Amino acid sequence: MRIRLTDEERAKLDAAAEAVGSPTSTWARDVLFDAADKALQPPLSGHDAGPTDGGG
């Protein structure tokens, strides 16, 4: 997979990866798979989400 980035975008990703002590490609892979897992989870139904009226 190739993703085109501006120099500023690449620098931002490099900084985020450095902040957690990972190489940029490893950090990006982890972030992408976390996002994919979330996107593939079924949405919560209304009764599973818990009370929304403040309880009581």
Side-chain angles (χ1 to χ4, degrees):
M1 174 185 290
R2 293 177 189 244
I3 301 172
R4 293 182 181 169
L5 302 169
T6 65
D7 290 340
E8 292 81 15
E9 290 169 335
R10 177 59 193 245
K12 188 174 187 176
L13 299 184
D14 289 340
E18 186 176 329
V20 297
S22 289
T24 304
S25 59
T26 301
W27 176 86
R29 185 177 188 272
D30 292 344
V31 169
L32 285 170
F33 276 106
D34 286 347
D37 288 343
K38 288 178 186 174
L40 294 172
Q41 289 178 0
L44 292 176
S45 64
H47 67 279
D48 291 340
T52 58
D53 64 354

